[in-house]
Amino acid sequence: NAGVTQTPKFRILKIGQSMTLQCTQDMNHNYMYWYRQDPGMGLKLIYYSVGAGITDKGEVPNGYNVSRSTTEDFPLRLELAAPSQTSVYFCASSPPGFDYGYTFGSGTRLTVV
Amino acid sequence: RKEVEQDPGPFNVPEGATVAFNCTYSNSASQSFFWYRQDCRKEPKLLMSVYSSGNEDGRFTAQLNRASQYISLLIRDSKLSDSATYLCVVNGGTGRRALTFGSGTRLQVQP
């Protein structure tokens, strides 16, 4: 049982480039989330999804897009990368509701230069 | 005001000490509360849920005070392996169906 898998683990982007951060889970969780964590800071919610075909903005959605075509996958797209998007990105999933907390992926460390 | 506030620390304690962390949250409608642990450069991992009546898991005790919107975590008999950042987490925040994370309190247990 792999849990939540994120790829790539590390990436360096040039300003203006685009990329997709992949996230897949094998726990049949309905809810999936993308957070970013800047050094010494807490996690900030970018986007979340409560099921296939349903997505919603979080606290810091600007510069990002998501899609949820299947229960398993929740990719995060960065368009026109900017230095301010240098961060660690965590994907997480959970069953409906909050009783059990989240299961996180191991993160993607992104540097935009 | 931040939705979840924590003292960033660091808390430097000797092995065997008892240490307590506190957290306040702003959304009075929050219903679910957790403590997560995050090791350096790793993903957060669920440490324990926090229930209204308080709950214990081995050396860890969590308390919730809804009236004061305050959550606490007590660690007894600290181990070197307890060194980590402890994140206070609550649900809610402007109606979103997602968890809101505090910035964390760093604990360093020293030999």
Side-chain angles (χ1 to χ4, degrees):
Chain A
N1 192 343
V4 179
T5 302
Q6 289 185 240
T7 57
K9 293 192 183 304
F10 305 92
R11 183 72 186 268
I12 298 174
L13 275 183
K14 293 184 178 178
I15 294 171
Q17 287 185 322
S18 300
M19 75 165 293
T20 298
L21 282 65
Q22 301 291 344
C23 176
T24 187
Q25 53 93 6
D26 61 1
M27 297 172 285
N28 202 32
H29 285 168
N30 293 93
Y31 288 21
M32 295 187 75
Y33 313 85
W34 276 104
Y35 286 84
R36 60 176 285 175
Q37 186 176 33
D38 298 329
M41 306 293 286
L43 281 75
K44 293 185 179 179
L45 182 66
I46 305 171
Y47 271 95
Y48 67 101
S49 169
V50 299
I54 306 169
T55 63
D56 211 344
K57 293 179 181 179
E59 184 183 359
V60 290
N62 291 342
Y64 307 95
N65 277 298
V66 293
S67 60
R68 185 96 183 269
S69 56
T70 66
T71 299
E72 295 77 20
D73 300 307
F74 191 40
L76 178 71
R77 178 82 177 160
L78 277 72
E79 304 283 1
L80 298 175
S84 60
Q85 293 178 304
T86 294
S87 191
V88 181
Y89 291 83
F90 289 106
C91 179
S93 72
S94 73
F98 300 104
D99 290 347
Y100 304 102
Y102 293 172
T103 300
F104 280 90
S106 58
T108 295
R109 295 186 175 276
L110 175 68
T111 302
V112 181
V113 296
Chain B
R1 182 186 173 186
K2 287 184 181 178
E3 293 183 49
V4 180
E5 295 207 59
Q6 297 182 250
D7 180 342
F11 284 55
N12 295 303
V13 302
E15 271 188 290
T18 295
V19 61
F21 307 135
N22 303 317
C23 159
T24 57
Y25 62 95
S26 61
N27 186 355
S28 59
S30 294
Q31 294 293 322
S32 299
F33 309 90
F34 306 91
W35 284 101
Y36 275 71
R37 170 193 170 125
Q38 187 173 27
D39 292 299
C40 189
R41 301 174 74 84
K42 298 285 190 180
E43 73 273 21
K45 291 187 177 176
L46 180 63
L47 179 66
M48 60 195 301
S49 301
V50 185
Y51 301 119
S52 297
S53 55
N55 49 298
E56 191 173 302
D57 183 0
R59 298 182 292 110
F60 299 84
T61 300
Q63 297 279 352
L64 169 64
N65 183 322
R66 286 187 185 272
S68 301
Q69 294 179 208
Y70 167 101
I71 305 163
S72 66
L73 176 68
L74 182 77
I75 305 175
R76 291 181 299 277
D77 188 23
S78 299
K79 312 290 185 192
L80 294 175
S81 57
D82 293 333
S83 297
T85 298
Y86 291 83
L87 308 176
C88 177
V89 183
V90 306
N91 79 300
T94 61
R96 295 192 196 98
R97 287 177 280 183
L99 296 176
T100 300
F101 287 74
S103 299
T105 298
R106 193 155 69 88
L107 171 65
Q108 185 66 48
V109 181
Q110 296 163 337

